[in-house]
Amino acid sequence: MNERRILAGVIALLAIGGVWQLLDRRALLGERERLEKELARERRRAPAPAPEPTPQPESPALSPEPARPPEPERRPAAPRSREEALKAFEDALEAVRQFPDPDEPAPAPKQPPDIPSLQAQALNPTLSARLRVDALAKLRSAGDGARSPAVVNSMVQLLQDSGDDRIRVDICRHMKGVESDFLKRQLLISVRSDPTSKVREEAAESLGPMTEDPLVRQALEEVAQRDASDKVQEQARRALRERR
């Protein structure tokens, strides 16, 4: 009886396939929930597979038996096994799952960054240092050219003036890759003399792309040998290897 009910469900589900476009998606979701519950019940009722019979040793032939007449051909059984029915049921259920949930909102398309607004935010001296540095981080992610010369000069000035070591750390980090003599001079000061080791470490990393400059290499070599922080020394050594 269970196999017939399962097969009937599969047949009904396959019949739906010809008219998917005419059905309401909510009805499909209801059918999916019903099939999942039915499948869970069938799995709980499914018997454990029977153990394979142990082969028995053949007894020695005593005498040849007389030939038997051939048995009449047997037609294969129409009903499928429970395992096959469950497999077909799962395949049909997976087809229903392919339909999206109408109640689930579609993901919003990713909007490109508003570079002029971010530049204005980074340049605005009336905003907090954190908001300005957050804008700098987004400009760095936006690609080359987003960190304009005006933004770079403004951030270097903030690096010089800020007493918050977290702000100085983030400015040094998000300035990596910028080509600016003004920035280079300030990073050389920061890597040698900033009181916070994390700031010196980030300054050393941002100086990595500038190691073709002899002054930068000299500063990093000094830091790699003399800085009080092992992490700063190691970062200076990595920066020196960056352009080799």
Side-chain angles (χ1 to χ4, degrees), residues 15 30-31 41 110 119 141-142 149 194 216 234 241:
E31 182 68 9
R41 286 197 296 269
K110 188 176 181 181
Q119 289 175 338
S141 301
D194 195 282
V216 173
E234 179 57 31
R241 294 193 297 267

Side-chain angles (χ1 to χ4, degrees), residues 152-153 156 178-188 210 213:
V152 171
N153 292 342
V156 171
V178 173
E179 295 183 4
S180 164
D181 289 339
F182 187 32
L183 171 64
K184 184 193 302 183
R185 288 194 295 270
Q186 182 56 45
L187 289 176
L188 288 172
M210 307 176 189
D213 187 328

Side-chain angles (χ1 to χ4, degrees), residues 163-183:
D164 187 337
D165 56 355
R166 294 169 298 180
I167 294 296
R168 299 197 307 277
V169 165
D170 287 346
I171 292 175
C172 289
R173 176 184 298 127
H174 297 308
M175 282 298 200
K176 185 174 182 179
V178 173
E179 295 183 4
S180 164
D181 289 339
F182 187 32
L183 171 64

Side-chain angles (χ1 to χ4, degrees), residues 32-46:
R32 179 176 66 186
E33 293 179 2
R34 185 187 68 78
L35 291 176
E36 288 176 340
K37 292 178 182 178
E38 183 69 18
L39 180 58
R41 286 197 296 269
E42 288 300 324
R43 281 176 172 165
R44 287 196 295 269
R45 289 200 295 263

Side-chain angles (χ1 to χ4, degrees), residues 118-136 154-155 158 162 164 166-167 170-171:
L118 291 172
Q119 289 175 338
Q121 179 178 332
L123 290 167
N124 191 343
T126 65
L127 296 178
S128 68
R130 175 46 57 195
L131 286 176
R132 295 175 65 191
V133 173
D134 288 346
L136 173 65
S154 177
M155 288 295 109
L158 184 58
S162 178
D164 187 337
R166 294 169 298 180
I167 294 296
D170 287 346
I171 292 175

Side-chain angles (χ1 to χ4, degrees), residues 109-115 118 142:
K110 188 176 181 181
Q111 299 294 330
D114 185 351
I115 293 178
L118 291 172

Side-chain angles (χ1 to χ4, degrees), residues 20 26 32 97 160 186 189 234:
W20 287 119
R26 295 182 186 275
R32 179 176 66 186
R97 288 195 181 103
Q160 294 173 346
Q186 182 56 45
I189 295 172
E234 179 57 31

